[in-house]
Amino acid sequence: MRGGPEGRRADFYLEVLTVLKTEVPPQQEQPKECDGKEYEPFHLRERIEEMILYAWEPVTQFPRKDRALADKLKELMTDLYELSIQIDNRHMRKTTANNLDDKLDVLRGFVRLAANKKLHGGKYPPPLTMHQYEVWARYNDEIGRILGGYLKTL
C-alpha cells in the first residue's frame, strides 16, 4: 500500500480533478444587447496577439541569410498589433481598419515567401516549415475574417 492509489482517499482524486472557476476576462463576456440586437465583443486584438505569440519564435530562428525577411515579418506583426489598438481607441476607425487590412495582405505575402521552396533554392530548406506556414495562414485567415466582418459594419 505504500505509495499506491489503494491507500489514498477517493475525495483526494476528486479534489485534484476539480478546476477552480475564475472570473471571465472582460473581453470574453457574454454578448451584450443594444437596441434589441446582440453584439459580441471585438476579439481582433486577442487574435493578433495569439498570432504573434505563435509566430515570434519561428521567425527569430530564421537563418542569417533570411534575417531581412525575419525583420520585415516582425515589423508587420507589430504594426498589426499597433493598428488593432488604434481601432479600439480612435474615431477614424474605417481608415485604420483599411490600413490594418492592407498590412495583413502584405504579411500574408511575406509569410508565403518565407515558406516558398523556390525562393531559397533547392539546396536550402525554406525558413518556415509547411506546418508552421499552415498554422500561421490559419491565424491570418481568422484575423482577416474578423476584420472583414468589422469593415462590413462600418
Side-chain angles (χ1 to χ4, degrees):
M1 278 212 223
R2 195 173 195 198
E6 302 84 31
R8 295 189 179 168
R9 299 185 339 229
D11 58 344
F12 169 77
Y13 291 109
L14 185 62
E15 288 176 3
V16 171
L17 296 176
T18 306
V19 178
L20 298 175
K21 286 190 174 184
T22 58
E23 292 184 21
V24 176
Q27 289 189 353
Q28 295 181 359
E29 297 172 346
Q30 296 297 324
K32 298 178 182 177
E33 280 195 36
C34 183
D35 300 330
K37 297 180 182 177
E38 280 192 8
Y39 291 100
E40 278 202 29
F42 195 47
H43 297 289
L44 181 66
R45 188 187 315 176
E46 293 173 6
R47 296 299 181 255
I48 291 174
E49 188 174 330
E50 289 174 9
M51 184 258 308
I52 290 173
L53 290 175
Y54 170 76
W56 201 267
E57 185 64 30
V59 169
T60 55
Q61 294 177 355
F62 276 20
R64 182 173 289 163
K65 68 183 182 80
D66 295 319
R67 189 64 58 196
L69 181 60
D71 292 341
K72 186 66 176 175
L73 287 169
K74 286 181 181 179
E75 177 188 342
L76 286 168
M77 287 189 292
T78 54
D79 287 349
L80 284 178
Y81 194 67
E82 289 173 10
L83 288 170
S84 70
I85 292 171
Q86 289 177 5
I87 283 178
D88 287 343
N89 300 333
R90 283 185 124 174
H91 296 290
M92 296 180 287
R93 293 181 178 182
K94 189 165 189 170
T95 306
T96 308
N98 285 329
N99 290 343
L100 197 141
D101 191 33
D102 293 341
K103 292 277 186 181
L104 183 63
D105 285 341
V106 172
L107 179 68
R108 283 179 176 156
F110 276 107
V111 170
R112 202 173 303 117
L113 282 176
N116 193 344
K117 292 179 183 179
K118 292 179 184 176
L119 179 69
H120 303 286
K123 186 176 179 182
Y124 300 106
L128 282 180
T129 64
M130 265 301 138
H131 174 72
Q132 291 170 335
Y133 170 71
E134 289 170 2
V135 173
W136 200 347
R138 271 189 247 128
Y139 276 117
N140 289 340
D141 187 45
E142 185 178 4
I143 292 167
R145 288 180 188 180
I146 293 171
L147 186 60
Y150 180 68
L151 283 170
K152 284 183 183 177
T153 63
L154 295 177

